[in-house]
Amino acid sequence: MADLTLTGKNPTSLTADALVVGTCSTSDGVAVVADQLPAALVEQLETLAPRLGVTGARQEVRTVPAGKDVSADVLVLTGLGERDADGTFDRETLRGAAGAAVRSLAGSRSAVVALPAVDEEELGAVVEGALLGAYAYTAYREEKAATKLAPVETLQVATPFARSARAKAAVARAEVLAAAVHGTRDLVNTPANDLYPASFVDAVKSAVKELGVKGVKVSVLDDKQLAAGGYGGLTGVGQGSARGPRMVKLSYSPPKPTDKVALVGKGITFDTGGISIKPAANMGAMKSDMAGAATVLHAVLAAARLGLPVAVTGYLCLAENMPGSNATRPGDVLTIRGGKTVEVLNTDAEGRLVMADGLVSAVEDGHDVVLDIATLTGAQMVALGKRVGGVMGTDDVRDEVKVAADTVGELFWPMPLPEELADGLKSKTADIANVGERWGGMLSAGIFLQSFVGDTPWAHLDIAGPSFNDAGAFGYTPVGGTGVGLRTLVGFLEGRGTTD
């Protein structure tokens, strides 16, 4: 991750590869939002804006020569859109502008970011966006290509709050969140030949060790222990692969916690669909079907690094869904942890099976609230597209998740769990079927999960679309793994930590 510092110096005096400043749309055209740029240069840029293709639109990025009065080599103009009614810009706009600008500087070594932040909270948003934008996944690239794609190494953020204790705290929080998002992205981007249940366990242990997080304990159930313990969902999904399933429990326990929260993550390290095999087109993206587990891992570690007063336990439900000779067949019946039986009508609806084991385990352990996060249904993308996740569950918990998402700048939309859809999950053979009617598939999946949490307050986050960006990069979001959901989970935990 980029090395970031705050500075109170005039940004034009700082030597760097690039100086990032903001532009915004106005009724008269374009305004350059940089108080410390020379007035003559600002006037020149605003005059030339139409010919430079600069409109000031959100996340628009243009690079121009810096001029003799600026020590940086180039100026990066990043769009902020229109000002709010009070003349400022909201935090997500600042995050996006900083992220888009820094992301555009791949291959550069240093940059100065001078965006308008009227208080320490807005400064935190700028820092967060810049760090999130300073990301590239180059593990499998040749050295020359990796160097060209490498993110900015050093960032200086110019601000009048450079010496403020609140500003330093905001930066420290942003660094923890960015590191957690980067860690999530790295796991999602790792190809399935190198990331499978057992190696995912190794990655968990390495992450705990490398971050030096105190108070975090890791326990693992292997395939034999899962079978003996009645974890029929994980066992049934994983038995078609030569690489058996795992359940990882990751616990952070501060002294005198305000709440006990469970996070359950879907960790299908590759999803062929099993016997109900998927079409070949775009199947490669199914290496990302473990994004929920990766998010839970790094959310727990972030909570520990931030020292939140909330006890958090993550349940990573890890399996590889393969059509091997021992694979579960359509029509088979699996017994989930706790005894509920499931008729498997479609082996490509496997995520909910492993999540059922995780949810039952979380409820057994006793928590004030359970959240689960999963790349669960294609129906999520049909309903909400590829950038907006769905959240459903107990009304108050669902709404609490939505508030957390809005606060951190992630896109989630509350969805219902209509009782009538439960009829579609009735089985003639078992307690419940793993798929229902075609219509409202995201909601039916939520209802299926709901049947395993009993009366425990709960919410389910479906991130099938937002977790993996197979289109062009935007804002602070790269191509590939996005890390979506991480900041929402941490925001939720922070909110629980401040509840009286």
Side-chain angles (χ1 to χ4, degrees), residues 235-247:
T235 300
V237 172
Q239 69 189 34
S241 173
R243 304 188 286 196
R246 299 288 188 273
M247 166 81 84

Side-chain angles (χ1 to χ4, degrees), residues 48-308:
L48 291 174
R51 280 180 281 174
L52 295 172
V54 177
T55 67
R58 288 186 179 187
Q59 300 180 18
E60 169 191 82
V61 177
R62 296 288 186 273
T63 301
V64 299
K68 59 182 176 141
D69 295 324
V70 176
S71 296
D73 295 340
V74 296
L75 282 175
V76 177
L77 310 179
T78 185
L80 294 161
E82 296 182 2
R83 294 180 186 269
D84 291 341
D86 62 0
T88 63
F89 303 94
D90 67 63
R91 295 176 195 174
E92 183 60 11
T93 294
L94 293 170
R95 282 190 199 95
V102 170
R103 184 174 50 76
S104 76
L105 291 168
S108 301
R109 297 182 63 86
S110 61
V112 176
V113 179
L115 293 179
V118 301
D119 56 31
E120 289 89 345
E121 286 70 28
E122 290 191 2
L123 174 63
V126 171
V127 170
E128 192 177 312
L131 290 173
L132 291 174
Y135 174 83
Y137 187 70
T138 60
Y140 294 83
R141 301 279 188 177
E142 292 184 342
E143 184 177 354
K144 185 178 293 185
T147 300
K148 187 176 181 180
L149 295 171
V152 172
E153 295 179 6
T154 61
L155 290 167
Q156 295 183 77
V157 177
T159 173
F161 307 111
R163 296 186 179 182
S164 161
R166 288 178 60 197
K168 293 176 181 178
V171 170
R173 176 182 179 275
E175 288 177 330
V176 169
L177 290 178
V181 171
H182 288 194
T184 303
R185 290 171 176 174
D186 284 348
L187 283 170
V188 173
N189 287 328
T190 302
N193 59 313
D194 284 338
L195 187 69
Y196 43 91
S199 66
F200 201 128
V201 172
D202 294 337
V204 171
K205 294 177 179 178
S206 295
V208 173
K209 183 177 180 180
E210 289 171 8
L211 292 175
V213 180
K214 296 181 179 180
V216 176
K217 296 181 179 179
V218 179
S219 61
V220 182
L221 296 178
D222 64 19
D223 46 356
K224 294 181 180 178
Q225 291 168 316
L226 290 169
Y231 295 85
L234 278 158
T235 300
V237 172
Q239 69 189 34
S241 173
R243 304 188 286 196
R246 299 288 188 273
M247 166 81 84
V248 178
K249 185 190 293 187
L250 190 73
S251 302
Y252 161 63
S253 302
K256 298 180 180 180
T258 58
D259 260 326
K260 292 178 64 179
V261 179
L263 305 177
V264 182
K266 175 186 172 184
I268 302 298
T269 57
F270 194 79
D271 183 18
T272 65
I275 297 297
S276 308
I277 198 163
K278 294 177 180 290
N282 303 315
M283 194 192 288
M286 287 298 98
K287 68 179 183 179
S288 69
D289 212 16
M290 34 56 65
T295 305
V296 167
L297 162 63
H298 285 284
V300 175
L301 296 182
R305 293 187 67 194
L306 292 170
L308 300 184

